[in-house]
Amino acid sequence: MMKISEIRLYLLSAPLQEPIGNALVFFSSRQTLLVEIVANGLSGWGEAWVGPAIAAAAIEHQLARHLVGKDPTSIGSLWQVMREANEGDAVMPAIAAVDMALHDLTARAWDLPLWQLLGGARRDRVRAYASGPFFKPGGHPYRNFHRDIDSYLAQGFRAVKLRSGYNPKDDVEAVLKARRQIGSDADLMIDFNQSCTARRSISTVAQMEEARLLWVEEPVKPTDLPGYRLASAHIATAIAGGEAIFNPAGFLPFFADGSMDILQPDIAICGGLIGVSQVAALAAMYNRPVIPHVWGSTVNFHAALHLVATLPSHRAGGAEPYPYIEFDVGPHPLLDLVRPELDENGCVPVPAGPGLGIDLKAEVLEPYVVDRKVIAA
Ligand SMILES: [Mg+2]
């Protein structure tokens, strides 16, 4: 039997040369917690990027006692034990990071790619969408959009998601311009990042009809259920959301009232691969596409890539059938640790190697480590 001998925590911060932003906030660094779980000489990697220091403390003080000395391949039962011992949503990113690391470790131990451990892949490459451009501080936030979109198209992307929500006039102008720039065959989406009232999102999107948007993301805050209902009743375009929902059960009201068309749980937030698979199981019954949110490092990205490879297809209006993978195209040194490839058709090949299929060595984290901890028996 395998036995977890150590849990290594790496709190990382990678400063950005220039901040990037959305309608609510600018970021001047990328921060995350990477978790390395070690058993029988093998390592598995997981990640929690939201509140990384809180997740580190939760793993050290709340979760480690249920893990050290245990068999890492008992992923499901360890997940239940962690969840039963910790009520509420605050601990979910920590559980998510552990869940990811246990999956990676188990798949490596069994010499399987993660997608095989998850039940088998439906596709060997996944259509990526460029998650960008972002707002630029100190002037008109849209001023680099044209240049940025050009660079995504040159890289091979065929789908682009703009940040929106600055003001209605500029939002509409930016979206119409972007559609002309990318041509009629590529997909175009916008992300309001919770910045609107429902009525403002309705009136703004009404003026974007010509742009033929694929989806409108997070028009309002996820706690504003009446806002989601109102927006989805009056916007013909699909409504996407869920990146800020910490608990699979948080999606229930959106399933019940049909106000969220595309579900975007984040594997590094919503309880890991098990948590997001619970959402995906419900989504399959409601016949709704799941396109996981990705904002973290290469670990978060690759966990999402493997899960997406296993999900059902949907002809939901895009140039290609869903699911797509979110490819964060802002400056991101922690995604560049093992930069995903993009082929000439704008797709990312799904790795066939064991586990996450990436070779991540602790040494490459060194320039970004701001704090670390080793938890052993
Ligand atoms: Mg978003």
Side-chain angles (χ1 to χ4, degrees):
M1 190 187 91
M2 292 181 76
K3 237 184 192 183
I4 296 173
S5 55
E6 267 183 22
I7 302 172
R8 301 174 187 154
L9 307 178
Y10 306 86
L11 217 58
L12 306 181
S13 178
L16 302 180
Q17 299 202 327
E18 190 173 57
I20 56 169
N22 59 43
L24 288 189
V25 64
F26 280 95
F27 304 88
S28 54
S29 66
R30 301 284 196 156
Q31 302 191 1
T32 200
L33 171 75
L34 289 191
V35 178
E36 182 183 14
I37 298 187
V38 183
N40 303 48
L42 289 173
S43 286
W45 290 94
E47 174 166 13
W49 60 263
V50 73
I54 296 168
I59 291 173
E60 183 184 359
H61 300 294
Q62 301 282 107
L63 304 183
R65 73 180 85 118
H66 304 294
L67 299 166
V68 175
K70 298 291 179 357
D71 177 1
T73 67
S74 297
I75 309 171
S77 62
L78 290 173
W79 196 96
Q80 288 178 21
V81 168
M82 290 189 287
R83 192 67 187 122
E84 283 162 12
N86 295 278
E87 283 180 11
D89 294 352
V91 77
M92 288 306 261
I95 291 178
V98 168
D99 160 291
M100 247 184 275
L102 294 175
H103 276 91
D104 184 29
L105 179 53
T106 299
R108 278 174 205 277
W110 294 349
D111 201 24
L112 299 174
L114 176 55
W115 50 258
Q116 191 70 57
L117 186 68
L118 296 173
R122 299 292 314 280
R123 52 195 71 79
D124 62 7
R125 46 195 61 229
V126 175
R127 169 66 58 115
Y129 75 83
S131 191
F134 296 90
F135 288 163
K136 191 175 157 69
H140 199 286
Y142 286 103
R143 66 192 182 281
N144 279 7
F145 271 34
H146 193 87
R147 193 200 68 189
D148 290 348
I149 292 171
D150 259 349
S151 90
Y152 309 152
L153 297 174
Q155 290 166 57
F157 284 106
R158 307 273 178 89
V160 176
K161 186 176 85 186
L162 313 181
R163 266 42 186 192
S164 203
Y166 178 62
N167 69 48
K169 178 177 159 287
D170 290 301
D171 292 346
V172 171
E173 231 175 77
V175 163
L176 297 181
K177 252 195 220 160
R179 171 50 84 189
R180 287 194 290 274
Q181 188 180 356
I182 68 175
S184 56
D185 295 334
D187 291 314
L188 184 65
M189 307 82 124
I190 57 166
D191 191 347
F192 280 129
N193 290 100
Q194 313 175 10
S195 64
C196 297
T197 60
R199 290 196 193 281
R200 191 239 142 137
S201 72
I202 295 165
S203 60
T204 305
V205 173
Q207 298 169 66
M208 296 175 172
E209 201 183 338
E210 240 180 276
R212 293 186 298 104
L213 290 174
L214 186 56
W215 76 63
V216 172
E217 185 167 318
E218 284 202 305
V220 298
K221 300 218 173 288
T223 45
D224 182 7
L225 291 172
Y228 264 92
R229 268 181 228 128
L230 187 63
S232 74
H234 292 91
I235 294 176
T237 306
I239 305 287
E243 67 183 71
I245 298 177
F246 279 52
N247 184 340
F251 284 87
L252 288 172
F254 296 99
F255 281 118
D257 69 13
S259 62
M260 197 181 274
D261 301 284
I262 297 164
L263 307 148
Q264 301 174 306
D266 191 313
I267 294 167
I269 295 175
C270 194
L273 290 151
I274 289 181
V276 172
S277 295
Q278 292 176 349
V279 178
L282 273 168
M285 286 176 243
Y286 282 91
N287 195 28
R288 310 246 157 185
V290 172
I291 301 185
H293 176 256
V294 180
W295 175 256
S297 78
T298 190
V299 173
N300 184 194
F301 180 94
H302 281 92
L305 182 61
H306 281 266
L307 181 71
V308 163
T310 70
L311 295 176
S313 287
H314 286 267
R315 290 269 175 200
E320 291 291 320
Y322 289 162
Y324 289 2
I325 180 84
E326 177 164 15
F327 198 132
D328 176 349
V329 284
H332 203 333
L334 303 178
L335 182 61
D336 294 344
L337 290 170
V338 182
R339 179 90 184 162
E341 292 173 47
L342 189 75
D343 72 16
E344 66 281 5
N345 297 313
C347 297
V348 181
V350 183
L356 289 169
I358 54 173
D359 188 22
L360 188 63
K361 297 266 184 287
E363 298 87 83
V364 304
L365 309 180
E366 285 308 323
Y368 310 109
V369 175
V370 291
D371 200 3
R372 72 180 80 221
K373 182 132 250 162
V374 177
I375 303 159

